Amino acid sequence: MFNFFANAFGYVLNAIYNLVNNYGVAIIIFTIILKLLMLPISIKQQKTLKKSAKIQEKSKELQEKYSSDQVRLSQELMDLYKKENMSPLSGCLSSIIQLIIILSIFYLVSRPLTYMKHIDAETINNYTTELSQNGERINYPEIAIIKKHSAQDERVRLNMDFLGLNLSDVPSQNYSDIRVFIIPVLYVITSLISMKITTNMSKKEKSKNEIENKEKKQDDEIDAMEEMNKNMSLMMPIMSVSIALIAPLGLALYWLVSNILMIAERIVINKFFKKDDEEEV
């Protein structure tokens, strides 16, 4: 599955690269296009967040009413979600889609000759064998091939210079060069900002609809689903940072630009929904 998406993304990225002749600029444009395509899902996710907050009061009432009958409580909660036309797993689905995209992009940037330039496997294998015989370290064979042979072989040539950074560099293999950590550090900062914005939005929605009596909080299926969604949201940046340190900088650049766009997107979408809420009132 990841190979399929990496291959599809590769055709798009290569087409953009042929226009701009710069790997970094191509990644930025590619990220913007992908974010626009994912916009309907993002809007739906935001709507789900708001709707989830609005039905919390009803779910709490059901908890109190059927606290001694867990079977009936489960059925009533499911009926509530069905009536509101909302799935408890909707948040998880969005996270799963993001995970698929993350891994597909990782495949793409770690094997650009296969998925982007579509070089035949025999050529790649021959170059890889040559590098191995020379005793060179090749965690990412195709990246090593680009560095070693781009000057002699036009087929494997990619302009990876971006603002003085070589996007083929791997942070974990270049500790002596502090510049390789610039993009990953910026990615971490934007991830924290994004999580803060999301958390604040969620708290504001819940504060509008929660019951005044907060002395006793019962565990239920709704809380379990929310906790699962929260854990997945936290897991994504942590996993991404770990991968960014062992992957070529091109991947970290994609995530950085994606985060910046996500922050802008959430702010704009939230203002749009806020305006709609004011008009309804």
Side-chain angles (χ1 to χ4, degrees):
M1 177 174 62
F2 300 126
N3 287 324
F4 172 80
F5 285 106
N7 193 54
F9 291 157
Y11 278 107
V12 177
L13 184 59
N14 190 54
I16 298 172
Y17 176 83
N18 289 335
L19 292 175
V20 300
N21 195 37
N22 184 280
Y23 188 62
V25 175
I27 286 179
I28 292 174
I29 296 175
F30 168 79
T31 307
I32 294 174
I33 293 175
L34 185 59
K35 181 61 67 174
L36 289 174
L37 293 176
M38 292 289 292
L39 187 58
I41 295 179
S42 298
I43 293 176
K44 185 176 181 180
Q45 183 180 24
Q46 191 76 357
K47 287 181 177 179
T48 299
L49 179 63
K50 293 178 70 66
K51 186 178 289 187
S52 177
K54 289 180 179 179
I55 67 173
Q56 286 306 300
E57 183 175 350
K58 295 180 180 179
S59 68
K60 297 298 182 182
E61 292 174 354
L62 291 175
Q63 290 175 43
E64 294 178 358
K65 185 176 182 180
Y66 301 106
S67 59
S68 60
D69 189 346
Q70 293 300 312
V71 175
R72 179 67 183 276
L73 174 60
S74 298
Q75 183 60 49
E76 291 292 334
L77 288 172
M78 294 304 295
D79 290 343
L80 174 60
Y81 268 85
K82 186 176 180 180
K83 180 180 179 181
E84 297 293 338
N85 193 27
M86 177 179 166
S87 170
L89 294 174
S90 55
C92 292
L93 179 60
S94 176
S95 297
I96 291 173
I97 293 175
Q98 292 179 42
L99 179 60
I100 292 175
I101 292 177
I102 284 176
L103 293 177
S104 298
I105 298 296
F106 173 73
Y107 274 44
L108 172 58
V109 300
S110 62
R111 300 177 62 187
L113 298 182
T114 295
Y115 297 114
M116 181 179 169
K117 302 295 287 184
H118 297 96
I119 304 297
D120 62 276
E122 183 179 356
T123 298
I124 295 175
N125 290 335
N126 290 339
Y127 276 133
T128 302
T129 301
E130 178 186 331
L131 293 171
S132 300
Q133 291 174 346
N134 293 336
E136 299 185 32
R137 185 179 181 182
I138 49 172
N139 289 347
Y140 298 97
E142 296 188 17
I143 298 297
I145 291 171
I146 293 172
K147 285 186 172 183
K148 185 78 173 181
H149 297 283
S150 61
Q152 298 84 18
D153 190 342
E154 187 177 292
R155 294 175 301 172
V156 301
R157 186 177 303 158
L158 277 174
N159 178 17
M160 291 196 170
D161 179 70
F162 180 72
L163 301 177
L165 297 172
N166 189 335
L167 296 181
S168 65
D169 285 341
V170 178
S172 61
Q173 297 176 5
N174 296 271
Y175 288 118
S176 60
D177 186 359
I178 194 173
R179 294 178 303 171
V180 300
F181 296 101
I182 294 176
I183 295 179
V185 167
L186 290 175
Y187 166 71
V188 171
I189 293 173
T190 55
S191 292
L192 294 175
I193 294 173
S194 178
M195 290 174 61
K196 183 68 175 178
I197 291 175
T198 302
T199 301
N200 288 342
M201 288 180 179
S202 179
K203 286 182 178 178
K204 287 180 180 179
E205 289 301 323
K206 287 182 179 180
S207 65
K208 294 177 183 178
N209 302 283
E210 63 184 359
I211 301 176
E212 292 297 330
N213 183 12
K214 299 180 181 178
E215 295 179 356
K216 184 178 180 182
K217 182 181 175 78
Q218 300 179 11
D219 293 330
D220 55 35
E221 293 183 4
I222 303 289
D223 293 326
M225 289 299 178
E226 288 185 343
E227 187 65 24
M228 184 187 304
N229 292 340
K230 180 181 178 181
N231 290 337
M232 290 192 72
S233 297
L234 291 173
M235 180 189 71
M236 299 296 287
I238 295 174
M239 183 189 71
S240 299
V241 170
S242 301
I243 296 177
L245 293 175
I246 62 173
L249 283 178
L251 180 64
L253 176 62
Y254 162 76
W255 282 335
L256 171 60
V257 177
S258 183
N259 265 357
I260 294 173
L261 294 174
M262 184 183 299
I263 291 170
E265 172 190 279
R266 286 176 177 173
I267 293 175
V268 172
I269 291 177
N270 187 59
K271 286 186 176 180
F272 178 78
F273 285 145
K274 185 177 180 180
K275 183 179 179 181
D276 281 354
D277 291 341
E278 291 175 350
E279 290 178 353
E280 289 179 3
V281 176

